[in-house]
Amino acid sequence: MRLFACCPLSFGCVALAVASLSASSTPALAQAWTPAQGEGTVAVQFQDAFVKYHQLPTVRLDRGPIRGESLLVDFTYGLTDKVAVSVALPYVAAKYNGSFPHVRDDGSTLDSGAYHSTFQDFRFDVRYNVSRRGFVLTPFVGSIVPSHSYEYFAHSAIGRHVREVQVGAYWAKLLDPLVPGMFVQGRYSYGFAQRILDISHNRSNLDLEVGYFVKPELRVFALGAGQLTHGGVDLYGNSRFALGPVLYPHHDQISRDNILNVGAGAAYDLSPSVGVYGSFMRTVAGRNVHALQHGVTIGMAWSFVTGSASSRASRMPMPSGAQGHRRALAKCVCQKTK
């Protein structure tokens, strides 16, 4: 079976801008198509992100640059033809260079100007495909669990250290009858976030991808990703005093993060089992976030089949046209974010 390289759509896994990148959880939209039973994909991706401005709440202020890199390994496997599971864990390195570091009462800080790195949060989801004819619909339930007790009070924090349960659905539609080779897909999720200091900060994420197969092994796409936080608190330049000594150390965990990122990318099939992809994204609007100046992602995905799946695949004809595009997207496992 052919594997087409992944189609990235995400804010990113780099937690250098917790509010704008890692704070939003956007798994790959191509997961509307679940892999067949016994088929799986291992994807490895690298992400570089740069933040120049803070938006407090909506005014852009230069509070010092933040830079981060992340390496993510994602494993997806088809339990049946309709049920698939995914597991991922990013490793993040970040640094902050500026005159406004977050400093704890004991004088400790991660915002020293030097890189620091560690593993971030485990991500796990189960999805069930309910429709494949014409309109693809795949509900899912997922979870985010911190991998260990890492520091969250810093501009360059690698994550928010917040547990979360997410529910939602992927959807997709091939547009071959209108424009051969074009497709559109999306994802909505609602995250039930762990309350911090009894403050609710659940969130909705809505993502969209519009893509086009230039040729069977190459496709290009435009991306959009938005987040709306239900609850939380606004941040200001004097948040240390406005929030007080109890709330301020947790402000990155409980802030009302609203954001819109846009971008574009491409994916290429190197072989029937190996594909590569890349994308670029930036923040165009936001509230209480580290505005992403640029987020660049590159990755590679390798597909595999177990014995039973392999024997069944050998009896299937090579797909082409609309069926080939569907097969390509079904095999795609793209970038993950928080």
Side-chain angles (χ1 to χ4, degrees):
M1 295 182 188
R2 296 185 63 80
L3 165 74
F4 289 79
C6 295
C7 44
L9 174 53
S10 138
F11 289 3
C13 296
V14 181
L16 61 96
V18 175
S20 63
L21 279 143
S22 314
S24 25
S25 160
T26 4
L29 294 191
Q31 292 181 1
W33 282 275
T34 54
Q37 180 179 357
E39 296 184 4
T41 304
V42 177
V44 179
Q45 73 172 34
F46 173 79
Q47 210 164 44
D48 174 78
F50 176 70
V51 166
K52 184 176 181 180
Y53 297 105
H54 292 54
Q55 296 198 179
L56 305 173
T58 57
V59 177
R60 290 203 169 188
L61 301 176
D62 187 350
R63 308 286 284 187
I66 308 169
R67 183 136 215 157
E69 284 78 39
S70 72
L71 182 67
L72 175 77
V73 178
D74 175 282
F75 174 80
T76 295
Y77 186 75
L79 298 179
T80 72
D81 287 347
K82 287 182 172 291
V83 179
V85 296
S86 295
V87 180
L89 177 65
Y91 187 83
V92 181
K95 68 176 180 178
Y96 166 78
N97 288 299
S99 303
F100 304 92
H102 288 355
V103 182
R104 289 198 175 273
D105 292 339
D106 62 4
S108 63
T109 181
L110 290 182
D111 295 332
S112 62
Y115 272 106
H116 57 91
S117 59
T118 188
F119 288 100
Q120 197 204 57
D121 303 331
F122 288 107
R123 295 162 178 80
F124 175 79
D125 71 63
V126 179
R127 57 192 190 275
Y128 178 77
N129 176 252
V130 298
S131 172
R132 294 190 182 187
R133 291 182 177 275
F135 184 79
V136 183
L137 180 64
T138 305
F140 74 92
V141 59
S143 65
I144 298 171
V145 180
S147 61
H148 65 289
S149 182
Y150 57 77
E151 176 62 87
Y152 54 81
F153 180 64
H155 290 295
S156 58
I158 64 97
R160 298 188 308 163
H161 202 273
V162 174
R163 298 189 303 274
E164 187 171 318
V165 174
Q166 295 184 335
V167 295
Y170 300 94
W171 60 270
K173 175 71 175 177
L174 292 167
L175 304 177
D176 284 280
L178 298 177
V179 181
M182 182 168 286
F183 64 90
V184 59
Q185 54 184 342
R187 172 186 182 268
Y188 171 78
S189 69
Y190 187 92
F192 298 90
Q194 170 191 358
R195 281 178 173 259
I196 305 295
L197 301 176
D198 203 33
I199 294 176
S200 175
H201 54 111
N202 296 341
R203 56 184 175 162
S204 292
N205 287 94
L206 180 63
D207 312 305
L208 179 68
E209 174 184 341
V210 179
Y212 177 72
F213 283 89
V214 179
K215 52 185 180 178
E217 66 272 18
L218 172 66
R219 69 177 179 276
V220 294
F221 43 84
L223 309 171
Q227 175 176 292
L228 178 66
T229 300
H230 310 287
V233 299
D234 280 326
L235 306 180
Y236 299 90
N238 64 344
S239 289
R240 177 182 292 274
F241 303 100
L243 296 179
V246 176
L247 295 182
Y248 181 68
H250 299 275
H251 70 275
D252 280 330
Q253 296 178 304
I254 60 176
S255 60
R256 183 181 293 117
D257 300 340
N258 301 333
I259 194 165
L260 175 62
N261 286 357
V262 298
Y268 186 77
D269 181 19
L270 295 174
S271 75
S273 62
V274 178
V276 294
Y277 58 91
S279 67
F280 174 91
M281 296 196 80
R282 69 177 299 160
T283 299
V284 295
R287 184 183 187 91
N288 302 309
V289 298
H290 297 160
L292 182 63
Q293 194 76 7
H294 74 250
V296 177
T297 299
I298 58 173
M300 176 176 289
W302 167 70
S303 69
F304 63 90
V305 295
T306 61
S308 60
S310 180
S311 62
R312 181 173 57 178
S314 65
R315 298 192 297 270
M316 296 177 63
M318 182 68 71
S320 61
Q323 293 298 322
H325 299 160
R326 182 178 294 108
R327 197 69 181 167
L329 292 169
K331 299 286 286 180
C332 173
V333 175
C334 313
Q335 68 188 46
K336 294 264 188 175
T337 78
K338 177 176 171 187

